[in-house]
C-alpha cells in the first residue's frame, strides 16, 4: 500500500494542470469557428482549401479559379489539426458503426436571438456535417485549448513561485490567472487570441524568470526562442505584429545594457532569426492559398462594412474603439476582468516581480496592442463573440497587477477578486456579454 500511495502522490504542478484541464473541458462549447474548417482540411485532406464547407460560415470565401479559404491566419488551425489527426481512426469507426450521424437531417431551431446561428446550423444538418463539425469543435477544445490553458497555469505557477518564494501564493495566483481572466472564456473553443496569449506568456517567462540569462549564451538563446514564439504569434494572428515589434525593441535595449552596441545587434539579430522561419511559414501559406505571399486574407475576401475602411480595415486608432476595447460591457477587457485594472498601480504599489526596464517593455507592448486593435475596424465585430482582440495582453497585465494585489489588505483583495471570478465564470458558461451573463446566472442558474 505504501508503494501505491507514493506512486499516487502527484506534485502540486501536476494537480494544478489536471484541475485546470478538467475545469476548462467542463466549460467547452460546440461552437464551430472558421479555424475549425481549416483544421479539418489539414487533418483530413492535407490541404489549405475549405471547399466542402463554403457557405457554412461567413468567414469562408471563394477565389474564382483557386478555391475557398478562411479569412484568417492558419496558426490556430495548424495546432487544432493535431488532435483531429490523432482521433481520425476513432471518428471513422464511429461514423462507420452509425452512418446516420453523417446523414442529412431536416431543419430545426436554435434558441438564440442571432438568426445566422440557426441558418448555418441547418445548412450543416442539410449536408450531414453537423455531428462531424461538433465533434471537431469538442476535440480541438479538449485536446488543445484546455491542456494548453492548463500548461499556461503551470507556467505561471512556476514563474511566481520562483519570484515570490511562496508556493501557496503562487498556487492561488496561478488559479486566478487560469479561472479569473478571459483566457477561461476564450478557451471554450479553438481560438487564435488565447493561443497568442500563451505565446506572449511563454516568451515573457523565458525572458524574466528568476535567474534568466545567467550567462550571455543562455540569454541569447532565450531571445532566439522568444523570437520563435512571437514569430509563430504572427502565424496565429496579425495582432502579434505590435507585440513582436515591441519585444524586438526590448532585445536591442537588453543587449545594449549587457554589452553595448555589439551585444545589442547580436540579440536583436537572434530574436529576428528565431522569428524568420515562422514568418516564412505564414508567407508559404499565403502563397499556397492566394497565389502571393505578401498580402493577408483580408485583401482577397469579398468587401464588407469594415474591410473597405482604410487599408483592408486598418485605419488610425478611433476614439470609439480605444474605450470600447477596454470598457465596453460586450467585449471590453477590463469589463470582462476588473482585476487587471490593478496593473495601473504597478509603478506605485507592491514589490515588482521584474526590473523597471522589463516593466516598461510590458507596458509598451500592452499599449501598442491596444492602439493596433483600436485601429483595426474589425474589432467592432467583437460584440458578437465577447472579448477577443485584447486577450494577448492578459499575461503582461496580470504580472503587473499581481504585486499590487498582494500588497493590498485581504478584504480589499476579495473586493476585486470575487467579482472578477464571478464574471469570468458567468461569461464562460453563458457565452454572452457581462451584464446578460450575470443576469442569466441569477435567473436561470448554472447551465
Amino acid at each position: 500500500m505504501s508503494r501505491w500511495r507514493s506512486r499516487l502522490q502527484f506534485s502540486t504542478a501536476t494537480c494544478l494542470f489536471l484541475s485546470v484541464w478538467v475545469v476548462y473541458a467542463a466549460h467547452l462549447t460546440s461552437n464551430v469557428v472558421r479555424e475549425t474548417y481549416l483544421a479539418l482540411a489539414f487533418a483530413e485532406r492535407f490541404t489549405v482549401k475549405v471547399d466542402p464547407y463554403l457557405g457554412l460560415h461567413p468567414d469562408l470565401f471563394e477565389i474564382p479559379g483557386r478555391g475557398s479559404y478562411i479569412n484568417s491566419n492558419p496558426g490556430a488551425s495548424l495546432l487544432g489539426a493535431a488532435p483531429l489527426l490523432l482521433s481520425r481512426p476513432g471518428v471513422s469507426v464511429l461514423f462507420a458503426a452509425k452512418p446516420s450521424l453523417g446523414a442529412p437531417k431536416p431543419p430545426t431551431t436554435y434558441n438564440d436571438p442571432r438568426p445566422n446561428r440557426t441558418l448555418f446550423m441547418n445548412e450543416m444538418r442539410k449536408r450531414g456535417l453537423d455531428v462531424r463539425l461538433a465533434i471537431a469543435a469538442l476535440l480541438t477544445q479538449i485536446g488543445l485549448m484546455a491542456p494548453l490553458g492548463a500548461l499556461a497555469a503551470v507556467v505561471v505557477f512556476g514563474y511566481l513561485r520562483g519570484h515570490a518564494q511562496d508556493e501557496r501564493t503562487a498556487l492561488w495566483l496561478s488559479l486566478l490567472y487560469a479561472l479569473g481572466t478571459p483566457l477561461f472564456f476564450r478557451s471554450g473553443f479553438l481560438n487564435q487570441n488565447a493561443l497568442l496569449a500563451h505565446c506572449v506568456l511563454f516568451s515573457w517567462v523565458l525572458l524574466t524568470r528568476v535567474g534568466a540569462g545567467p550567462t550571455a549564451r543562455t540569454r541569447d538563446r532565450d531571445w532566439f526562442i522568444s523570437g520563435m514564439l512571437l514569430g509563430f504569434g504572427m502565424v496565429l494572428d496579425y495582432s502579434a505584429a505590435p507585440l513582436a515589434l515591441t519585444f524586438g525593441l526590448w532585445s536591442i535595449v537588453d543587449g545594449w545594457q549587457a554589452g553595448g552596441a555589439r551585444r545589442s545587434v547580436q540579440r536583436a539579430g537572434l530574436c529576428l532569426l528565431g522569428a524568420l522561419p515562422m514568418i516564412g511559414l505564414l508567407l508559404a501559406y499565403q502563397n499556397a492559398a492566394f497565389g502571393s505571399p505578401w498580402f493577408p486574407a483580408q485583401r482577397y475576401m469579398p468587401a464588407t462594412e469594415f474591410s473597405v475602411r482604410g487599408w483592408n480595415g486598418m485605419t488610425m486608432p478611433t476614439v470609439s474603439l480605444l474605450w470600447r476595447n477596454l470598457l465596453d460591457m460586450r467585449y471590453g477587457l477590463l469589463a470582462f476582468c476588473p482585476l487587471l485594472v490593478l496593473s495601473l498601480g504597478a509603478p506605485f504599489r507592491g514589490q515588482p516581480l521584474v526590473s523597471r526596464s522589463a516593466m516598461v517593455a510590458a507596458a509598451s507592448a500592452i499599449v501598442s496592442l491596444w492602439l493596433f486593435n483600436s485601429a483595426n475596424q474589425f474589432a467592432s465585430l467583437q460584440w458578437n463573440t465577447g472579448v477577443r482582440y485584447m486577450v494577448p495582453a492578459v499575461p503582461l497585465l496580470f504580472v503587473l497587477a499581481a504585486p499590487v494585489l498582494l500588497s493590498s489588505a485581504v478584504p480589499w483583495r476579495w473586493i476585486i477578486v470575487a467579482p472578477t471570478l464571478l464574471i469570468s465564470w458567468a461569461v464562460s458558461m453563458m457565452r454572452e456579454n457581462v451584464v446578460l451573463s450575470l443576469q442569466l446566472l441569477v435567473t436561470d442558474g448554472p447551465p
Side-chain angles (χ1 to χ4, degrees), residues 421-432 434 437-438 441:
L421 287 171
L422 181 63
I423 290 170
S424 180
W425 185 46
V427 297
S428 296
M429 285 189 294
M430 308 301 178
R431 316 304 303 182
E432 300 287 353
V434 172
S437 293
L438 292 173
L441 181 59

Side-chain angles (χ1 to χ4, degrees), residues 100-115:
S100 61
L101 295 177
K105 303 172 185 67
T108 185
T109 57
Y110 185 55
N111 185 21
D112 194 288
R114 290 157 284 202

Side-chain angles (χ1 to χ4, degrees), residues 301-321:
M301 71 183 194
T304 66
E305 176 187 356
F306 299 105
S307 67
V308 296
R309 299 182 185 180
W311 185 77
N312 298 314
M314 294 297 297
T315 67
M316 293 296 291
T318 64
V319 174
S320 174
L321 282 175

Side-chain angles (χ1 to χ4, degrees), residues 343-394:
S343 61
L344 295 175
F348 316 108
R349 289 288 304 273
Q351 180 64 38
L353 298 176
V354 294
S355 66
R356 182 164 294 274
S357 62
M359 289 179 63
V360 171
S364 300
I366 294 163
V367 171
S368 65
L369 180 67
W370 179 42
L371 293 173
F372 181 90
N373 290 334
S374 299
N376 183 356
Q377 297 305 300
F378 288 100
S380 299
L381 293 173
Q382 290 176 95
W383 65 268
N384 198 32
T385 56
V387 62
R388 282 185 57 189
Y389 284 63
M390 289 301 296
V391 169
V394 167

Side-chain angles (χ1 to χ4, degrees), residues 169-244:
T169 300
L171 179 60
W172 79 261
L173 282 174
S174 61
L175 284 169
L176 182 60
Y177 177 81
L179 305 179
T181 70
L183 290 171
F184 187 12
F185 171 71
R186 294 286 359 149
S187 296
F189 53 82
L190 185 62
N191 177 248
Q192 78 273 32
N193 308 104
L195 293 170
L196 176 55
H198 297 328
C199 289
V200 173
L201 171 67
F202 299 154
S203 182
W204 174 265
V205 168
L206 193 67
L207 296 171
T208 64
R209 70 192 188 279
V210 172
T215 67
R217 176 175 293 183
T218 55
R219 187 64 171 172
D220 290 346
R221 178 204 61 197
D222 291 345
W223 275 113
F224 177 79
I225 298 173
S226 176
M228 290 186 66
L229 288 167
L230 293 171
F232 187 74
M234 293 281 286
V235 185
L236 290 165
D237 193 81
Y238 272 111
S239 63
L243 297 168

Side-chain angles (χ1 to χ4, degrees), residues 45-352:
R45 296 179 287 112
F46 304 104
T47 180
V48 299
K49 297 182 179 181
V50 293
D51 294 342
Y53 312 114
L54 185 65
L56 296 180
H57 196 285
D59 287 345
L60 307 185
F61 67 95
E62 183 179 16
I63 300 177
R66 291 196 64 85
S68 303
Y69 306 93
I70 68 170
N71 69 341
S72 182
N73 290 10
S77 301
L78 280 169
L79 296 177
L84 297 181
L85 192 60
L86 292 173
S87 63
R88 273 184 65 181
V91 173
S92 298
V93 169
L94 176 65
F95 279 87
K98 196 170 183 180
S100 61
L101 295 177
K105 303 172 185 67
T108 185
T109 57
Y110 185 55
N111 185 21
D112 194 288
R114 290 157 284 202
N116 275 348
R117 300 209 170 187
T118 294
L119 176 68
F120 290 120
M121 183 189 68
N122 281 331
E123 185 61 29
M124 294 175 189
R125 290 171 62 83
K126 178 181 177 181
R127 302 187 195 184
L129 291 172
D130 54 327
V131 176
R132 183 176 296 277
L133 289 168
I135 290 174
L138 302 182
L139 288 172
T140 52
Q141 199 277 343
I142 295 173
L144 177 69
M145 300 304 298
L148 270 182
L151 176 62
V154 172
V155 169
V156 170
F157 170 67
Y159 178 74
L160 295 175
R161 183 174 57 182
H163 280 278
Q165 300 296 316
D166 183 352
E167 183 169 296
R168 185 185 182 91
T169 300
L171 179 60
W172 79 261
L173 282 174
S174 61
L175 284 169
L176 182 60
Y177 177 81
L179 305 179
T181 70
L183 290 171
F184 187 12
F185 171 71
R186 294 286 359 149
S187 296
F189 53 82
L190 185 62
N191 177 248
Q192 78 273 32
N193 308 104
L195 293 170
L196 176 55
H198 297 328
C199 289
V200 173
L201 171 67
F202 299 154
S203 182
W204 174 265
V205 168
L206 193 67
L207 296 171
T208 64
R209 70 192 188 279
V210 172
T215 67
R217 176 175 293 183
T218 55
R219 187 64 171 172
D220 290 346
R221 178 204 61 197
D222 291 345
W223 275 113
F224 177 79
I225 298 173
S226 176
M228 290 186 66
L229 288 167
L230 293 171
F232 187 74
M234 293 281 286
V235 185
L236 290 165
D237 193 81
Y238 272 111
S239 63
L243 297 168
L245 177 61
T246 306
F247 273 67
L249 293 174
W250 183 18
S251 71
I252 296 174
V253 174
D254 185 69
W256 185 273
Q257 293 173 338
R262 180 180 178 183
R263 182 65 68 183
S264 180
V265 171
Q266 182 177 354
R267 287 190 176 164
L270 285 168
C271 186
L272 178 61
L273 189 63
L276 284 177
M278 302 295 111
I279 296 173
L281 175 62
L282 175 60
L283 297 179
Y285 165 79
Q286 290 180 168
N287 187 66
F290 313 127
S292 169
W294 307 119
F295 299 105
Q298 286 76 10
R299 178 183 176 90
Y300 305 97
M301 71 183 194
T304 66
E305 176 187 356
F306 299 105
S307 67
V308 296
R309 299 182 185 180
W311 185 77
N312 298 314
M314 294 297 297
T315 67
M316 293 296 291
T318 64
V319 174
S320 174
L321 282 175
L322 281 169
W323 79 263
R324 290 185 183 280
N325 274 322
L326 296 182
L327 300 172
D328 194 306
M329 287 294 171
R330 299 171 301 171
Y331 56 83
L333 179 60
L334 300 181
F336 273 70
C337 188
L339 169 75
L340 297 180
V341 76
L342 294 181
S343 61
L344 295 175
F348 316 108
R349 289 288 304 273
Q351 180 64 38

